[in-house]
Amino acid sequence: MGGEIVRLLQPLGVEAAIQAITQCEHQSGEKQRQIELALEQARYDPTRAHRQYDTVDPDNRLVAGELERRWNGALAGVRALEEELEALLRQRPAALGVEERQGLLKMGPIWRPPGIIGAATAVTRKRIVRVVLREIVAQVEGDQIHLLLHWQVAITPA
């Protein structure tokens, strides 16, 4: 399968794969920034709700109960955004290093067996495959396995 990927991706496809990985990294960074901004706003809400709760007359239980409910809701919103941000940071793929980018541009050395100078790590190879393939269908016939590769997009030279 590595040979098939090399055949179809050189050289324009490699550039497209690098651009797709870079775009995915950028989108992940943008989503992180949006969550951080929402979290900053959300952290203000519990503080305001707490101040309102503290200023209410304790004898007015109906108002105090409503303000406490709002305060708890604001705290829950902050917790939810913090958890979403943590999950995003855990799932964020590592950025391609300079050496990996240069190796991708050469593409030939990428698919050498591990341990040989210039060979990419298994992680890099998997990332490339995930970017360019949508689905792999395996069919077993006797002692042979036939693979049907469904590509993400048709890559044609400009």
Side-chain angles (χ1 to χ4, degrees), residues 19-147:
Q19 288 176 359
I21 291 170
T22 302
Q23 183 178 6
C24 181
E25 291 168 353
H26 177 72
Q27 288 173 347
S28 179
E30 285 294 316
K31 184 171 183 175
Q32 177 182 344
R33 180 71 180 137
Q34 290 173 358
I35 294 172
E36 287 171 346
L37 290 173
L39 186 56
E40 185 178 320
Q41 173 61 39
R43 286 184 174 143
Y44 172 75
D45 294 340
T47 304
R48 186 179 49 139
H50 182 255
R51 282 195 315 264
Q52 290 173 338
Y53 178 77
D54 281 347
T55 60
V56 76
D57 181 8
D59 292 332
N60 193 346
R61 292 183 184 181
L62 184 61
V63 173
E66 175 62 21
L67 290 174
E68 184 178 13
R69 184 190 65 74
R70 289 181 190 174
W71 183 17
N72 287 332
L75 289 171
V78 169
R79 266 193 309 276
L81 284 170
E82 287 172 343
E83 289 170 3
E84 185 177 352
L85 182 59
E86 288 174 13
L88 179 69
L89 292 174
R90 277 194 308 272
Q91 295 171 356
R92 187 178 208 172
L96 280 179
V98 174
E99 291 177 16
E100 286 180 314
R101 282 184 196 276
Q102 290 172 349
L104 279 174
L105 291 173
K106 293 177 185 171
M107 197 58 182
I110 289 294
W111 298 100
R112 290 181 184 162
I116 295 178
I117 295 173
T121 65
V123 172
T124 301
R125 292 179 190 170
K126 288 178 186 178
R127 289 179 71 189
I128 293 169
V129 170
R130 286 186 193 115
V131 168
V132 299
L133 290 178
R134 181 172 40 96
E135 177 181 44
I136 301 173
V137 179
Q139 185 177 16
V140 178
E141 292 180 6
D143 62 345
Q144 293 186 341
I145 299 174
H146 298 276
L147 298 176

